[in-house]
Amino acid sequence: MEASIRTAILSNPIEYLKGVGPQRGELLRKEAGIHTFRDLLSYFPFRYVDRTKVEKIISLHAQMDFVQIRGRITSIETVGEKRAKRLVATLRDDTGEIPLVWFQGHQWMEKSLQQHTNYLVFGRLSVFNGYLQMSHPEMDLVTEETVTGKPTLEPVYSTTEKLKARGLTAKAIGKLTKNLLEQLSPHEIPENIPLPVIHQYRLMERSKSFFKIHFPASEEDAAQARRRLKFEELFLAQIRICRLKIRRQAASHGFLFTSVGDTFNTFYNEHLPFSLTGAQKRVLKEIRQDTATGRQMNRLVQGDVGSGKTMVALLTMLLAIDNGFQACLMAPTEILSQQHYKSIAELLEKMDLKVALLTGNVKGKARKQILKDTEEGNIQILIGTHALLENQVVFRNLGLAIVDEQHRFGVAQRARLWQKNTMPPHILVMTATPIPRTLAMTVYGDLDVSVIDELPPGRKPITTVHRTEWQRPSVMNFIKDEIKKGRQAYIVYPLIEDSETLDYENLMKGYEEVKAFFPEPQYFISMVHGKQPVDMKETNMHRFVTGDTQIMVATTVIEVGVNVPNASVMVIESTERFGLSQLHQLRGRVGRGAEQSYCILMTGNKLGADSKERINVMVQTNDGFLISEKDMELRGPGDIEGTRQSGILDLKLADIVADKAILEAARASAEKILQEDPDLTLPENQALQHYLAVQQGKSQWSKIS
């Protein structure tokens, strides 16, 4: 009880803090996500300004950048006319003097500056007419505390134009934070990491780290505070994930899939288009074991582009149907769900099964009918977007939910599928983007992991080469040679939302160029892009799929999602504008048949260091796992499709690439603690247990654990 009272102040709405009030409070909520005192405490500075040292005016020189000086204002005058009007104040210390200049807001400055008064002045030096001066410096009255400079580094917080308009500059946010910290005593920020762990990793104590991260005495102080708080973020995430997994394994009941029946066997023996790889068989065996234990399956299947995850998913759905259950497959986008629907419906067309597609675009009568058939159990397999999570979607007996993850759905969304039956259905999560170990540990730490690490038989590794603009004619001749052999080619242009019009022009220019190299009637070209009407897009895609056209020019084939085993060349234009994972996904569109396939990365003649590195990785390896590690290193995890928002990764400070070592230490500590004390009842784990209980009510975790 006492601990709850102690931390109650941090739950206060932000407008109750002196200097905030209702209007600023509303803005802080909207613009910075600061709702409570606790949120402000966790709104960390992104850098610091060192104002702990004071320079003498005589020691200043033009090579210096920002400096801090202390002195007395000896004169203030307005000089110049109209646009050249400015306020000039002279600041003198015991070694010399320097002019301070304001070009804007000079009337306000003139009123607020006091002559013959001592100021601490901080700003950037510049040279005018051969003399040093300082423009628009920050002015603070000298106090006893600041005679020798500020006692701590000055924090710099991110802010927005709307916040600044209300006076909430980086400096003002610092003032509010200082105000809050002055109200807090150390016991109001209680410890939440067990003492043995704090001692093992020499971590700063929690209350001290919050004071030191906002107002450190030195960079070293700030680094120690940051290290402590990063460890805390990752440690708490790992405790929650590991607890979730332990509880689920201990307590969860799942439907029993005891028989492999007619549906599965008929498809496997009569309609399977190709024999399964060893890796696919191994993963299916793991799924069979999971679904026969009487506990709920929560498994992640990772596999590179083209490794046959969809087939594993389909066979698992047939297993569910054989045991009297329905199955659903959820994909993150409209196009992906349509693609899954099309390929699964085609594979099952000779079987007596009903497959349906439900997305935001299915409306009116059709939607009502699908909802009715699903509830009555007439639809055995329902495929769709997150529309499947809606309350109106009721299953008669859902036994298996498959999520084509692509990093887009968080733990909380997966948990919503658990409520679609009296007992939670088995969950299978698929991802085509191989996940770096650190990311898997964090985003998918609550799942058992299977890897399909083998390509179907007869697939040859794709040969990848880098070519520059001046080699274009030889690239086009190479495509002509491949077309002579009866093959087809993709030519892909980037489409980035920010520069859509320009990209569209580049695509059109590119299309004209391709037509010049490949004149009709000898060659036929399909063009597909986002601005085309749906039926036109469908027609152009269909012509390429059926071999009517030999070349497809497109914005991104990922969006198109066609599977053409006869296509053997993928040319990616302006490669430097794509991320590694996207390049790897695009490359996976060829190499789907038995012939040797090629991926040609086209760039301008000049390349930045990052682009060179990305291209080298692509040329050297086809291994999606290696590529994903490198991609995360280069771009950071926040860019890998929303992982930062995935429910678990609410990381304010930690970065799972840069802080890999901290993450691994946090994971090891969490596992050790929970192995010894799963319910956190030992005395040294009481503070952690209490902290988690308090947080439980505030977060989505309560929905899950």
Side-chain angles (χ1 to χ4, degrees):
M1 182 72 184
E2 183 202 343
S4 311
I5 295 166
R6 283 195 328 222
T7 55
I9 184 171
L10 290 176
S11 306
N12 284 351
I14 193 64
E15 55 265 37
Y16 292 0
L17 185 66
K18 189 171 182 248
V20 180
Q23 286 177 320
R24 279 177 153 195
E26 191 54 36
L27 256 187
L28 283 168
R29 265 195 284 276
K30 276 187 186 154
E31 292 287 300
I34 298 173
H35 298 260
T36 62
F37 286 12
R38 182 181 286 102
D39 294 334
L40 180 62
L41 195 60
S42 301
Y43 195 72
F44 301 118
F46 64 91
R47 67 181 175 88
Y48 304 93
V49 174
D50 188 351
R51 294 187 57 184
T52 58
K53 292 187 281 294
V54 176
E55 307 289 344
K56 291 288 185 189
I57 292 176
I58 200 168
S59 68
L60 304 181
H61 54 81
Q63 277 65 49
M64 290 173 146
D65 192 13
F66 281 95
V67 294
Q68 180 165 260
I69 49 182
R70 186 185 70 245
R72 181 182 291 269
I73 297 276
T74 56
S75 69
I76 302 171
E77 60 175 327
T78 304
V79 297
E81 288 297 319
K82 293 184 180 170
R83 300 184 76 172
K85 202 171 180 183
R86 60 202 182 277
L87 180 73
V88 181
T90 305
L91 185 89
R92 169 179 282 282
D93 70 4
D94 54 6
T95 67
E97 60 182 35
I98 187 171
L100 312 176
V101 187
W102 287 268
F103 298 96
Q104 288 155 351
H106 41 78
Q107 287 169 318
W108 185 83
M109 275 315 295
E110 197 171 3
K111 282 180 196 156
S112 62
L113 280 180
Q114 298 165 32
Q115 209 163 327
H116 311 304
T117 303
N118 288 327
Y119 282 92
L120 195 62
V121 179
F122 178 78
R124 179 177 253 152
L125 288 177
S126 58
V127 178
F128 178 68
N129 282 345
Y131 292 97
L132 285 176
Q133 66 172 29
M134 218 185 247
S135 306
H136 292 270
E138 289 183 29
M139 309 288 289
D140 289 303
L141 289 168
V142 173
T143 63
E144 271 179 48
E145 203 185 26
T146 60
V147 167
T148 55
K150 299 258 175 143
T152 63
L153 300 184
E154 201 165 90
V156 182
Y157 300 89
S158 57
T159 181
T160 65
E161 289 310 316
K162 283 185 181 170
L163 287 172
K164 282 181 199 161
R166 276 266 168 210
L168 287 164
T169 57
K171 206 173 169 103
I173 294 171
K175 233 175 182 168
L176 293 176
T177 309
K178 198 170 180 68
N179 183 357
L180 171 61
L181 285 166
E182 279 164 0
Q183 292 181 41
L184 295 175
S185 57
H187 67 256
E188 276 159 337
I189 307 174
E191 193 48 80
N192 57 8
I193 295 178
L195 281 175
V197 178
I198 286 179
H199 294 168
Q200 183 185 351
Y201 294 108
R202 296 197 176 93
L203 299 172
M204 188 181 267
E205 61 198 69
R206 187 163 187 252
S207 57
K208 195 173 168 186
S209 65
F210 275 102
F211 282 84
K212 296 282 190 192
I213 196 165
H214 289 288
F215 298 99
S218 63
E219 281 290 351
E220 170 57 23
D221 242 12
Q224 286 303 325
R226 249 198 316 271
R227 179 174 168 267
R228 148 72 210 217
L229 292 168
K230 282 178 176 185
F231 187 95
E232 179 181 311
E233 279 186 344
L234 295 168
F235 173 75
L236 292 172
Q238 291 305 322
I239 283 278
R240 286 171 174 142
I241 291 166
C242 296
R243 257 183 132 182
L244 183 58
K245 195 169 181 176
I246 289 168
R247 284 181 183 184
R248 179 171 56 69
Q249 287 170 343
S252 85
H253 297 292
F255 298 113
L256 273 169
F257 290 1
T258 47
S259 59
V260 179
D262 285 350
T263 313
F264 185 99
N265 287 327
T266 305
F267 180 80
Y268 193 88
N269 297 323
E270 294 172 29
H271 306 300
L272 196 65
F274 48 77
S275 52
L276 299 183
T277 62
Q280 284 174 309
K281 286 178 181 167
R282 186 187 69 243
V283 173
L284 270 170
K285 192 175 171 191
E286 288 165 350
I287 291 168
R288 282 275 296 116
Q289 285 164 347
D290 283 353
T291 54
T293 58
R295 285 204 290 269
Q296 184 206 16
M297 168 175 79
N298 266 286
R299 186 166 285 282
L300 169 69
V301 175
Q302 292 191 59
D304 225 326
V305 180
S307 60
K309 291 178 303 300
T310 310
M311 189 50 73
V312 168
L314 175 57
L315 288 164
T316 310
M317 292 199 260
L318 299 180
L319 186 66
I321 291 165
D322 271 337
N323 286 277
F325 294 97
Q326 291 166 293
C328 72
L329 191 161
M330 182 166 81
T333 64
E334 191 91 23
I335 283 170
L336 265 165
S337 10
Q338 284 167 358
Q339 202 180 312
H340 279 306
Y341 172 69
K342 197 162 169 276
S343 61
I344 286 170
E346 274 170 21
L347 285 163
L348 295 177
E349 66 184 345
K350 292 183 181 145
M351 309 267 300
D352 184 23
L353 293 173
K354 191 160 182 194
V355 185
L357 175 70
L358 182 69
T359 65
N361 281 342
V362 180
K363 293 189 168 74
K365 263 188 191 166
R367 190 180 192 85
K368 274 187 186 149
Q369 191 60 49
I370 288 174
L371 293 175
K372 182 172 180 280
D373 286 347
T374 304
E375 192 167 359
E376 289 171 0
N378 301 329
I379 288 172
Q380 284 102 333
I381 296 174
L382 183 61
I383 295 166
T385 53
H386 49 268
L388 300 185
L389 297 172
E390 289 166 12
N391 294 335
Q392 302 95 299
V393 181
V394 178
F395 291 86
R396 182 161 176 266
N397 195 10
L398 182 68
L400 170 72
I402 296 176
V403 182
D404 190 7
E405 181 91 4
Q406 302 239 319
H407 308 315
R408 311 274 182 98
F409 301 111
V411 177
Q413 283 173 303
R414 290 207 293 272
R416 279 171 67 187
L417 285 165
W418 296 17
Q419 286 138 29
K420 293 285 181 184
N421 206 337
T422 46
M423 212 153 56
H426 294 300
I427 303 273
L428 189 67
V429 177
M430 302 193 300
T431 175
T433 312
I435 300 159
R437 209 175 136 263
T438 47
L439 195 57
M441 209 192 276
T442 317
V443 186
Y444 303 104
D446 62 315
L447 302 171
D448 301 307
V449 180
S450 296
V451 178
I452 305 181
D453 48 10
E454 229 181 299
L455 287 179
R459 295 244 175 129
K460 296 187 174 81
I462 301 160
T463 302
T464 305
V465 294
H466 171 216
R467 296 288 180 261
T468 53
E469 198 49 53
W470 61 271
Q471 293 164 302
R472 183 173 294 280
S474 64
V475 170
M476 295 301 163
N477 288 333
F478 174 73
I479 296 175
K480 284 180 180 170
D481 293 342
E482 284 293 296
I483 291 174
K484 268 184 204 149
K485 296 180 196 167
R487 317 264 179 272
Q488 289 164 279
Y490 296 101
I491 300 176
V492 180
Y493 288 81
L495 183 63
I496 315 293
E497 276 169 31
D498 302 347
S499 57
E500 209 169 310
T501 320
L502 183 67
D503 284 338
Y504 183 66
E505 283 166 20
N506 288 344
L507 172 74
M508 289 310 174
K509 202 170 107 212
Y511 178 58
E512 293 305 324
E513 232 175 57
V514 174
K515 278 200 328 203
F517 277 108
F518 298 95
E520 289 184 355
Q522 210 177 335
Y523 303 96
F524 290 103
I525 303 166
S526 277
M527 181 165 66
V528 176
H529 58 81
K531 292 190 175 180
Q532 285 173 332
V534 176
D535 51 351
M536 189 177 183
K537 206 191 280 189
E538 288 287 330
T539 308
N540 288 352
M541 273 162 54
H542 185 71
R543 288 185 65 203
F544 186 66
V545 172
T546 53
D548 270 4
T549 59
Q550 298 98 330
I551 298 169
M552 178 183 282
V553 174
T555 43
T556 57
V557 184
I558 291 291
E559 177 186 86
V560 176
V562 286
N563 180 10
V564 184
N566 190 43
S568 67
V569 184
M570 164 66 70
V571 177
I572 304 174
E573 297 283 353
S574 306
T575 302
E576 65 273 20
R577 293 179 60 192
F578 290 95
L580 259 178
S581 288
Q582 207 180 0
L583 289 172
H584 182 61
Q585 291 275 346
L586 282 169
R587 172 167 65 184
R589 292 283 153 212
V590 293
R592 289 172 170 250
E595 305 308 324
Q596 177 61 56
S597 287
Y598 304 88
C599 176
I600 301 167
L601 307 173
M602 297 292 296
T603 67
N605 298 325
K606 283 184 181 169
L607 276 185
D610 254 15
S611 304
K612 269 189 193 144
E613 199 171 344
R614 279 205 299 275
I615 287 165
N616 287 341
V617 172
M618 286 295 292
V619 170
Q620 285 157 14
T621 182
N622 275 300
D623 181 334
F625 284 92
L626 270 178
I627 287 169
S628 69
E629 289 279 356
K630 199 72 203 163
D631 193 31
M632 202 160 87
E633 243 171 71
L634 289 171
R635 296 196 301 158
D639 291 349
I640 298 179
E641 296 303 356
T643 52
R644 215 163 258 285
Q645 290 80 41
S646 63
I648 275 178
L649 275 189
D650 182 19
L651 301 180
K652 291 187 166 67
L653 282 175
D655 174 317
I656 62 177
V657 182
D659 302 317
K660 194 173 172 178
I662 300 179
L663 170 60
E664 288 179 349
R667 174 78 172 189
S669 302
E671 283 176 341
K672 185 170 182 281
I673 287 168
L674 291 171
Q675 271 163 10
E676 292 165 6
D677 182 18
D679 295 320
L680 302 177
T681 50
L682 291 174
E684 67 264 32
N685 297 330
Q686 287 293 289
L688 172 60
Q689 164 66 3
H690 176 75
Y691 180 84
L692 291 170
V694 170
Q695 295 304 304
Q696 184 97 330
K698 297 185 188 128
S699 76
Q700 53 174 10
W701 292 96
S702 47
K703 295 178 192 167
I704 300 168
S705 1

